[in-house]
């Protein structure tokens, strides 16, 4: 199949992981007014003002921590990084004097080198270090969970990462968002380590993965790497949870609200439509969320119609 245009037709680049042009063209046409409509009533999509997305996430995470404290049970969280927003959750914890010794923080993923050696937890650009710096460290010392309860996938636990969570009673909630390729965590659609039939893919768990070139480009815009397109700064591989961890969680929240440093530009505008309204396939990893109860939050910027803006360059 060829891509849309009336006078010039072409195939997507061979590097593009999802290549179903009919699905792409259909999803391109999904309007702001229709993006929150889905046939699965348990897959709940809400569009909200950009300014409201972060407070909503903060309130949700804080409420879960507070509720599990009141119920005197463990709170097992599967968390994305880097996320400076965690500072605001920590502030609420401190203001309300919530003892968090029941909270277990698990990182979705972490970087690795070309040989699959996982970055140490104190690497300044790493996700576990980010989780510690933005969340754990900002909780008042007498309210923090023990540091041993902040865990990332590493060379020691990679073969039983999910077991660590299940032994604590299971994952209370996973939080995620689609990458440019549609990845959840670093579950890449073009990684050979996840090149599996759908049913086998759903059972795939934590592993080393080769990062997509699109993910490397995306992450080169992270503030920690200078937000300058420094492709060489981003490691080539990572360790990541698999689809099994996400599907095993008791609850899920997916957020699509990323722009480019506060502008109207967003690479999530199409991939969110593909993941939430396209086919369910390992080539769109976040699409699997359509099959399980999931709360999806989309910002107004991401929800806007996809149409040319002829007077704008980059």
């Amino acid at each position: 199949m060829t891509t849309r245009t009336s006078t010039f037709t072409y195939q997507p680049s061979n590097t593009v992981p999802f290549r179903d042009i009919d699905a792409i063209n259909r999803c391109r046409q999904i309007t702001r007014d229709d993006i929150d409509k889905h046939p699965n009533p348990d897959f709940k999509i809400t569009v909200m003002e950009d300014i409201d997305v972060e407070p909503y996430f903060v309130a949700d995470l804080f409420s879960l921590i507070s509720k599990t404290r009141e119920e005197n049970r463990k709170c097992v969280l599967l968390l994305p990084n880097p996320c400076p927003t965690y500072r605001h959750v920590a502030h609420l914890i401190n203001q309300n004097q919530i003892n968090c010794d029941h909270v277990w923080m698990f990182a979705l993923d972490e970087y690795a080198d070309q040989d699959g050696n996982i970055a140490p937890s104190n690497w300044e650009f790493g996700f576990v270090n980010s989780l510690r710096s933005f969340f754990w460290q900002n909780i008042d010392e007498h309210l923090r969970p023990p540091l041993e309860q902040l865990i990332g996938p590493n060379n020691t636990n990679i073969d039983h990462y999910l077991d660590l969570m299940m032994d604590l009673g299971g994952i209370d909630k996973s939080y995620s968002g689609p990458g440019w390729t549609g990845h959840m965590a670093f579950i890449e659609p073009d990684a050979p380590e996840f090149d599996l039939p759908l049913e086998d893919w759903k059972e795939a768990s934590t592993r080393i993965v080769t990062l997509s070139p699109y993910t490397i480009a995306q992450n080169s815009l992270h503030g920690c790497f200078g937000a300058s397109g420094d492709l060489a700064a981003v490691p080539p591989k990572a360790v990541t949870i698999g689809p099994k961890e996400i599907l095993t969680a008791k609850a899920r929240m997916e957020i699509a609200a990323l722009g480019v440093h506060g502008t109207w530009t967003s690479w999530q505008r199409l991939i969110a439509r593909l993941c939430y309204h396209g086919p369910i396939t390992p080539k769109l990893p976040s699409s699997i969320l359509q099959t399980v109860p999931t709360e999806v939050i989309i910002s107004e910027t991401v929800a806007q119609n996809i149409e040319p803006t002829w007077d704008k360059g980059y």
Side-chain angles (χ1 to χ4, degrees):
M1 295 297 294
T2 53
T3 197
R4 63 171 185 181
T5 178
S6 58
T7 59
F8 178 55
T9 58
Y10 49 93
Q11 297 278 341
S13 166
N14 289 331
T15 64
V16 175
F18 182 72
R19 302 170 57 80
D20 183 336
I21 296 302
D22 288 339
I24 292 170
N25 284 336
R26 177 178 62 80
C27 289
R28 280 187 183 128
Q29 302 306 313
I30 295 173
T31 65
R32 157 64 181 84
D33 291 339
D34 290 331
I35 199 170
D36 59 352
K37 298 177 175 62
H38 197 278
N40 179 1
D42 292 327
F43 186 71
K44 303 178 188 296
I45 302 174
T46 301
V47 178
M48 63 177 62
E49 294 291 341
D50 293 44
I51 198 171
D52 293 330
V53 173
E54 184 179 58
Y56 188 88
F57 167 65
V58 168
D60 187 88
L61 183 50
F62 174 72
S63 294
L64 179 57
I65 291 171
S66 298
K67 182 174 183 288
T68 49
R69 173 78 281 167
E70 292 170 1
E71 294 172 351
N72 195 31
R73 63 182 180 87
K74 292 183 177 67
C75 180
V76 181
L77 303 169
L78 199 47
L79 298 169
N81 297 283
C83 184
T85 299
Y86 293 138
R87 294 174 297 183
H88 305 306
V89 183
H91 176 70
L92 288 175
I93 288 169
N94 296 338
Q95 287 291 97
N96 290 274
Q97 289 293 288
I98 306 296
N99 186 330
C100 291
D101 62 2
H102 69 303
V103 175
W104 292 74
M105 306 172 182
F106 287 87
L108 291 174
D109 41 22
E110 182 58 278
Y111 288 115
D113 69 15
Q114 66 282 352
D115 299 317
N117 298 305
I118 300 167
S121 62
N122 62 351
W123 186 48
E124 60 182 318
F125 302 109
F127 289 163
V128 174
N129 182 65
S130 174
L131 183 58
R132 179 173 58 247
S133 298
F134 288 125
F135 200 172
W136 183 86
Q137 202 164 288
N138 281 296
I139 299 173
D140 288 346
E141 188 171 356
H142 69 287
L143 300 174
R144 289 176 196 157
L147 186 56
E148 293 74 21
Q149 291 173 206
L150 189 160
I151 302 170
N154 57 46
N155 293 304
T156 301
N157 65 29
I158 185 172
D159 293 327
H160 58 276
Y161 196 53
L162 177 57
D163 292 338
L164 295 178
M165 304 175 223
M166 299 308 293
D167 289 347
L168 295 166
I171 303 161
D172 285 286
K173 197 160 191 174
S174 68
Y175 294 88
S176 59
W180 205 326
T181 62
H183 70 216
M184 297 180 295
F186 279 140
I187 305 168
E188 298 281 22
D190 50 356
E193 298 87 354
F194 281 114
D195 186 12
L196 299 165
L198 178 60
E199 292 306 313
D200 294 336
W201 179 85
K202 287 160 63 175
E203 289 296 313
S205 194
T206 306
R207 64 196 58 201
I208 297 291
V209 65
T210 303
L211 293 182
S212 169
Y214 296 99
T215 295
I216 290 173
Q218 173 192 324
N219 285 13
S220 74
L221 299 178
H222 281 178
C224 66
F225 292 124
S228 301
D230 187 347
L231 300 176
V234 184
K237 292 190 176 185
V239 58
T240 181
I241 61 160
K244 187 172 184 177
E245 281 85 345
I246 296 289
L247 296 174
T248 300
K250 300 170 188 175
R252 285 155 291 274
M253 177 180 284
E254 170 97 338
I255 299 176
L258 293 179
V260 179
H261 213 61
T263 70
W264 178 85
T265 301
S266 175
W267 48 259
Q268 277 190 329
R269 197 167 287 127
L270 176 62
I271 200 63
R273 286 165 164 81
L274 287 170
C275 289
Y276 308 150
H277 295 283
I280 296 161
T281 167
K283 294 301 182 184
L284 294 169
S286 283
S287 67
I288 196 64
L289 296 173
Q290 295 182 57
T291 69
V292 289
T294 304
E295 181 179 12
V296 177
I297 305 300
I298 302 178
S299 69
E300 283 285 358
T301 291
V302 172
Q304 292 305 301
N305 297 348
I306 297 174
E307 52 196 10
T309 307
W310 296 110
D311 61 349
K312 185 177 178 63
Y314 286 104

